[in-house]
Amino acid sequence: MIKVTFMNGPRDGEEIVVRGPLVRIGHAEGNDIRIDYDPFVSRFHAELAHEPQGWCVTDKQSRNGVYQGSVRVRDKAKLESDELLRIGNTWLEVAVAAENEH
């Protein structure tokens, strides 16, 4: 399980809990987390995926990148709990459940 909390913008404070193994983020319809108000978010910007090593974030060749804190994700990065991600100009806090909570 993973919880994503919007940290700024019109959805500030909104929480989304996802129990599946894959979360798609972008401004296009069909994404699990749709950020259609931020012009710096690509149609299919990023994915959060539960992999054998834990939850990871992948930049899906977005125009403006994915940042884990202040570091740009250059393909894929492992997520720890309570990470801050920047997708376009939108900040998301990602809380990863411990493996025994699945």
Side-chain angles (χ1 to χ4, degrees):
M1 180 183 80
I2 193 165
K3 179 174 76 172
V4 178
T5 304
F6 285 82
M7 302 303 289
N8 68 332
R11 296 173 74 179
D12 188 15
E14 180 181 337
E15 296 180 351
I16 298 171
V17 176
V18 179
R19 298 190 191 290
L22 181 67
V23 182
R24 293 179 183 91
I25 303 170
H27 82 246
E29 289 186 31
N31 284 292
D32 302 297
I33 298 177
R34 190 167 177 216
I35 307 173
D36 58 356
Y37 57 85
D38 184 341
F40 296 99
V41 174
S42 297
R43 294 179 69 236
F44 302 100
H45 200 107
E47 288 182 348
L48 306 176
H50 190 260
E51 300 187 355
Q53 68 270 31
W55 282 93
C56 295
V57 59
T58 302
D59 186 339
K60 300 304 287 180
Q61 300 179 334
S62 66
R63 189 173 344 122
N64 294 301
V66 173
Y67 288 81
Q68 188 175 24
S70 61
V71 178
R72 187 167 185 168
V73 173
R74 296 282 180 202
D75 182 32
K76 184 187 293 188
K78 187 173 184 321
L79 292 172
E80 303 300 330
S81 192
D82 301 324
E83 292 259 19
L84 285 177
L85 297 180
R86 182 166 59 85
I87 309 286
N89 283 333
T90 301
W91 284 93
L92 305 171
E93 181 182 57
V94 179
V96 176
E99 290 299 315
N100 59 3
E101 294 180 30
H102 286 277

